[in-house]
Amino acid sequence: MAVSPQVFPPRKRRPSAGAFIPPKFSDQRLLQTLLELSQEISSLKPLQFLLKRNSSSILRKTKILAILFEELLKNPILFLSPTLLCFEEMYLVLQRIKTLLEDCVNGSKMWLLMQSDSVANKFHELTVELATLLDIFPVKEVGISEEVEELFLLLRKQCSTDKVFVDKRDYNLRHDVLTMIDRIQKEIVPNHSKLAVIFYLLGFSSSLSCKEEIENLEEEVQNQKDEKSKSDLIALIGLVRYVKCVLFETSTPASDTRRKSLASDVNVPADFRCPISLDLMRDPVVVATGQTYDRESISLWIESGHNTCPKTGQTLVHSNLIPNRALKNLIAMWCREQRILFETAEGNRRTNRVIKNKAALEANKMTVSFLVNKMSASRSMEEVDGVIYELRALAKTSSDSRACIAEAGAIPVLARYLGPDIGSEFPDLQVNAVTAMLNLSILEANKTRIMENGRAFNGVIEVLRSGATWEAKGNAAATIFSLSGVHSYRKRLGRKTRVVKGLMDLAKSGPTSSKRDALVAILNLAGDREAAGRLIKEGVVDMINEVINEMPEEAAAMLEMVVKRGGIVAVAAAYNAIKKLGVLMREGSEIARESAAATLVTICRKGGADMVAELASIMGIERIIWELLGSGTMRARRKASILLRILRRWAAGLDDDFFYGHSTAATASSASSTTMVLPA
């Protein structure tokens, strides 16, 4: 019974020819291993669309070898050492045959087409090596039947007379593909009928098969060392993406039954998501505040002129990015378990960022133009949903794609599908529309386009307030976070009562993932003093108290920011959070303990003796602080030292001395004001 090609699990990195070593088995065990290996290979079907004759030929030869090994096992004899050495070498050749077939089956068809001459040569080289081994094999001495001996001699003759074969059909097909890419590079829209024929001959029959091909091409980029090959692959990705959209019906996640998983299709652990992009981190790095971000996202943040930590709002004392190798290893292990493609840091930046390619850029523009026009003209909501999903996915791939989509006029059209009427009837469509807006907003120029388009801007807020699903609301909150990265937009967003209330409601009642989206957006808005005041008025401190147990790191960082920016009213409101911060300082994560200590320092400095007294009432607080002094981060140790000094001065009755940076009069006034609003 033929074995499905999927018996070979997909493999990202190919072993070199020297990666295989012959097993140290006994004669019989080695023969048994050779039989099993040859049977496994020969039971596979030949390649379907490319290199048919090459694969069929080597599979037939392997099948004869399986017959030989089976015959030898029936008549065990004492093998001479030269024969044993021949078997060991044959094991290596068979492993390389298996690897070559595996790569052809599981790899990219387009790249296999481009490399068909080289791969045909590899098939020939393996056949030549097999011929050499068969020449030295002592067939007369091993006692096999006449029938098997005849097969063996026929196999040896076939191997010795084998020549390199390149299928003319494959050659012509490759020429057609290269011609298409050349025309695209010259900004000539390719003939769709011709494209349909080419992709039919390569075995692409649906949007799903094209999607899998794009993933295979992206994996192939990681296997290449030279820039020319990477550039060629990126051009092929552009071509396949264009064909996927113009020749086949667009697909949405509901209709997508891919064999491989993407990070966006599974529940990614919160610690593995970048706080900026909210995507799975590919290259986690630590900034000066101790927070971890994906290198691409935080680099873009810093290059845009920001000098603060997006999560905590603290000023970055330096812009050095330190690789978080431990976290990267954990993410890589999780990705392997989930069968998700993971691009490592050393050479695996976003595939289409590796190198610029004119053909890929032009194909991208053609794809975007086609999709935007189709979205504008379509009257079928199902069709629109598929188109917007494609734009959503495309907007995640690169800055060039985000720029192309916006320049093609997609933002005003996407805004049509953010309203409550769409959400009530087509909730998935609303999710795709707001997520596409989120992905587009990553580009700085697109932030301006969204903020200046009233319908788009108000549409995002509307989804935040009354989106049909939690996912839609969460992605709207993430869009608010992205837009608030620009200082002037942060002020504008913070003045919007609908934005503040929407984020607060989501943070209070949404599921964990949506709450996190809301919290990071609130944290960003709280960096503006006016917005902080509005948040306090809406009860942000009470909300923080509600979520601090569920999301301690985000809650502690937010409380620290609010207390810093919100004045005495915020300090008074934070009174009831002091004990929770004390618990967090003892039991929280490293980052949560740091944020808790920093927040307590701010509360005590601004809040007066009553606040310090509340802190001092926490059982074992000095011991907690001493533990933080010994095992916390550098910033946590510094804050713990200040807390310890504040507590000791308070215990000694030196109330006025722990208000660093405040005059005695101002401190006394603050303390008095605070006392008036504290609960009885």
Side-chain angles (χ1 to χ4, degrees), residues 14-15 54 72 92 100 103 142 180-181 227 285 295 330 336 463 466 471 477 496 533 540 574-575 604 615 619 634 671:
R14 301 184 178 93
N54 305 79
L72 290 172
L92 298 180
L100 181 58
D103 287 338
V142 293
M180 285 291 178
I181 291 175
E227 296 299 296
V285 293
R295 183 186 295 275
L330 288 174
R336 281 196 293 273
V463 175
S466 57
E471 183 183 3
K496 293 278 185 182
V540 70
Y575 182 86
C604 289
L615 176 63
M619 187 175 294
M634 186 178 296

Side-chain angles (χ1 to χ4, degrees), residues 68 71-77 79 137-146 148-149:
L68 171 65
E71 177 79 3
L72 290 172
L73 279 170
K74 290 177 183 176
N75 302 291
I77 62 170
F79 292 107
F137 184 79
V139 65
K140 298 294 184 183
E141 302 172 18
V142 293
I144 57 176
S145 65
E146 289 184 10
V148 174
E149 184 177 344

Side-chain angles (χ1 to χ4, degrees), residues 525-572:
L525 293 182
D528 176 70
R529 192 170 297 278
E530 183 182 342
R534 190 176 293 275
L535 287 165
I536 293 163
K537 184 178 178 182
E538 294 295 333
V540 70
V541 178
D542 291 336
M543 181 272 292
I544 292 170
N545 277 327
E546 290 179 23
V547 303
I548 196 168
N549 293 329
E550 185 180 354
M551 283 173 286
E553 290 185 15
E554 291 84 352
M558 189 186 308
L559 187 58
E560 179 186 359
M561 177 67 75
V562 168
V563 169
K564 276 183 179 178
R565 303 289 185 190
I568 197 64
V569 176
V571 175

Side-chain angles (χ1 to χ4, degrees), residues 604-605 608-610 612 646 649-660 664 667 671:
C604 289
R605 281 178 169 177
D610 289 340
V612 185
I646 287 174
R649 288 177 180 275
W650 171 83
L654 304 173
D655 294 4
D656 293 342
D657 290 343
F658 51 74
F659 296 100
Y660 301 102
T664 304
T667 300

Side-chain angles (χ1 to χ4, degrees), residues 128-175:
V128 169
E129 290 186 34
L130 198 56
T132 302
L133 294 174
L134 295 176
D135 280 342
I136 64 172
F137 184 79
V139 65
K140 298 294 184 183
E141 302 172 18
V142 293
I144 57 176
S145 65
E146 289 184 10
E147 293 84 356
V148 174
E149 184 177 344
E150 286 179 6
L151 283 174
F152 174 86
L153 295 175
L154 176 63
L155 173 62
R156 186 162 66 183
K157 181 178 179 181
Q158 288 177 346
C159 289
S160 62
T161 57
D162 186 81
K163 298 186 184 303
V164 179
F165 175 78
V166 178
D167 195 320
K168 188 174 181 181
R169 172 186 171 278
D170 295 352
Y171 176 85
N172 291 335
L173 202 52
R174 181 176 61 195
H175 177 267

